[in-house]
Amino acid sequence: MSSLYSDPTLERHFRGHRDTVTSVDFSCTMKQIATGSSDSCVMIWNMKPQTRAYRFDGHKDAVTSVHFSPSGHLVASASRDKSVRLWVPSLKAESTVFKAHTATVRSVSFSGDGQSLVTASDDKTVKVWTVHRQKFLFSLNQHINWVRCARFSPDDRLIVSTSDDKTIKLWDKNSRECIHSFYEYAGYSNHVDFHPSGTCIAAASTDNSVKVWDIRSHKMLQHYQVHSGIVNSLSFHPAGNFLITASSDSTVKVLDLLEGKLLYTLHGHQGPVTCVAFSKNGEYFASGGNDEQLLVWKTNFDAAEFGDGTGQQHRSRSGTRAPTAHITVSSEPAQRSQVRTRNTDAMSGASEVSRPDTVPRSHSRNGNLSRLGRSQTHGKPSIASSTSNAHPPYTAPLPSHPQESASEGGLTSTLEHIIGQLDILTQTVSILEQRLTLTEDKLKECLENQMELSARLQSRDEA
């Protein structure tokens, strides 16, 4: 089936930022692309050729995240200057400032209905805001380290957040309670997002891997070890069949979630790739990096599996499909020479598409395997699945060692208890900090009153 895919092609590349491009998002109309950068600017790029871009200056420090509202009439941006801004993406560059965080704001995202914003910050909180009233609503406070990213679920009932405390937390928006914590044992996640079906989440990790969890069973479904550097960002295709990832190894990778395999490796950036995003219809995706470039790619591969360009119609009828099998995919960096490369129809000669060679299923070392139960050797992606027809069901996705799985439950409960105790300590410290702040404010007020009284007495004596 992989031979039916059409390769992605580089359609446009934009230059204008003076530092790393940290975030990218498409408008719903596909006419505009928003980017944020470490140069403290937000830029709005027009997909129409020979149309000038808008540069928005307002933040006083690096812009860490940008996101279009569902209607495309607003752009939200987060910054190291501790603020969030709402922009009207037009020449006037009008903006409104939101302030409630006490440290760098790492991410900002609109809810599906466009009525709310969720932000994540180095002040260890996730905050929810109302857009139209432009007010802070409430905080989610159980993380004990910087919060890197927060997103609403497609139905807006849940919020997912990831932190340097090595947890990914799932929150109920209405009750404001943490309903589950997923644990990262090696690194921490830089980025997290919901699958379009709302039943899964994917996380981009500093341990060079991408993990997909089922939020209903709380089990890991897929584990991709295909990058040789930190994974900085990811984005689901709107149909839910594909996932793109951006890494510090200078590559963008396309993962086929239904087959559980690495589909493409894209080489276009010079240096780390920091952000990536699919367009709202999946026809394009964009990537930004340390090289100050924004690359816009034509997807192509998403319609191939439906044939004759009818992919969008089929997807709208069948809905999104979530990954269901327990799959581990790995690709050894030292053996990447066995991956063939070919140039794309690109504007930049340095851009390449790499696609893993495939072995016919009937010629596998272990005989016939099911679609998801394939195993390839010699440095190619290796896949182990619970749906294999040739082997017994694979029931222990991660960790894969039997002796470790027996103690995993006890270890998890112990960690949950420790996290719970640390949460209590954090909340206690937070209360003490608030009281200390109030005390300092009162003391400052008393000193000011005393100085004012002394000044009055002195002036009276002089008179």
Side-chain angles (χ1 to χ4, degrees), residues 430-446:
S430 177
I431 293 170
L432 290 174
E433 286 177 347
Q434 292 175 7
R435 291 180 178 177
L436 181 59
T437 302
L438 288 173
T439 303
E440 288 175 346
D441 290 342
K442 289 181 179 178
L443 182 59
K444 184 178 179 181
E445 185 179 351
C446 289

Side-chain angles (χ1 to χ4, degrees), residues 359-369 373-380 382 390-391:
V359 178
R361 294 185 181 88
S362 59
H363 295 90
S364 172
R365 289 179 59 193
N366 296 319
N368 294 326
L369 298 181
R374 185 187 335 179
S375 180
Q376 300 176 358
T377 59
H378 305 299
K380 302 177 181 65
S382 61
H391 304 284

Side-chain angles (χ1 to χ4, degrees), residues 162-231:
T162 184
S163 167
D164 286 15
D165 63 11
K166 296 190 176 183
T167 68
I168 297 171
K169 292 187 181 293
L170 202 60
W171 309 84
D172 185 294
K173 180 187 170 185
N174 293 327
S175 68
R176 308 178 188 179
E177 295 291 330
C178 178
I179 57 179
H180 188 74
S181 294
F182 300 91
Y183 294 93
E184 290 267 19
Y185 294 103
Y188 58 82
S189 294
N190 281 316
H191 189 99
V192 67
D193 203 0
F194 279 94
H195 186 272
S197 68
T199 61
C200 305
I201 57 171
S205 180
T206 58
D207 67 1
N208 306 349
S209 74
V210 175
K211 303 176 184 71
V212 180
W213 280 281
D214 189 315
I215 65 171
R216 299 161 298 182
S217 65
H218 303 152
K219 292 183 179 179
M220 185 182 294
L221 297 180
Q222 297 181 342
H223 186 202
Y224 294 93
Q225 297 168 299
V226 294
H227 282 290
S228 60
I230 292 170
V231 187

Side-chain angles (χ1 to χ4, degrees), residues 96-126:
T96 304
V97 183
F98 290 62
K99 288 187 177 180
H101 285 292
T102 59
T104 295
V105 187
R106 293 282 176 180
S107 82
V108 61
S109 182
F110 280 94
S111 59
D113 60 10
Q115 302 296 313
S116 303
L117 283 172
V118 63
T119 55
S121 171
D122 285 1
D123 64 11
K124 307 175 189 177
T125 69
V126 174

Side-chain angles (χ1 to χ4, degrees), residues 267-425:
H267 304 269
H269 288 280
Q270 304 297 317
V273 188
T274 51
C275 56
V276 71
F278 269 113
S279 64
K280 300 303 185 282
N281 62 2
E283 187 178 357
Y284 295 91
F285 60 94
S287 59
N290 279 18
D291 57 5
E292 305 172 8
Q293 285 194 100
L294 172 66
L295 305 182
V296 180
W297 307 79
K298 184 75 178 293
T299 303
N300 296 329
F301 53 80
D302 62 336
E305 70 175 12
F306 301 101
D308 300 326
T310 59
Q312 296 294 338
Q313 297 177 5
H314 284 262
R315 282 196 297 273
S316 62
R317 292 174 186 170
S318 60
T320 57
R321 295 176 60 187
T324 56
H326 297 292
I327 299 172
T328 299
V329 179
S330 62
S331 177
E332 296 297 333
Q335 299 174 334
R336 285 166 61 189
S337 60
Q338 300 199 15
V339 177
R340 71 174 186 265
T341 63
R342 50 182 175 267
N343 291 331
T344 64
D345 179 19
M347 297 178 65
S348 172
S351 301
E352 292 183 339
V353 177
S354 303
R355 183 171 175 180
D357 292 333
T358 55
V359 178
R361 294 185 181 88
S362 59
H363 295 90
S364 172
R365 289 179 59 193
N366 296 319
N368 294 326
L369 298 181
S370 69
R371 179 181 179 188
L372 287 174
R374 185 187 335 179
S375 180
Q376 300 176 358
T377 59
H378 305 299
K380 302 177 181 65
S382 61
I383 306 173
S385 169
S386 60
T387 58
S388 172
N389 294 330
H391 304 284
Y394 182 68
T395 57
L398 284 174
S400 59
H401 303 290
Q403 63 270 27
E404 293 180 8
S405 61
S407 61
E408 183 179 354
L411 178 60
T412 300
S413 61
T414 302
L415 287 171
E416 287 177 349
H417 176 72
I418 293 171
I419 294 295
Q421 295 299 313
L422 289 173
D423 287 343
I424 294 171
L425 288 173

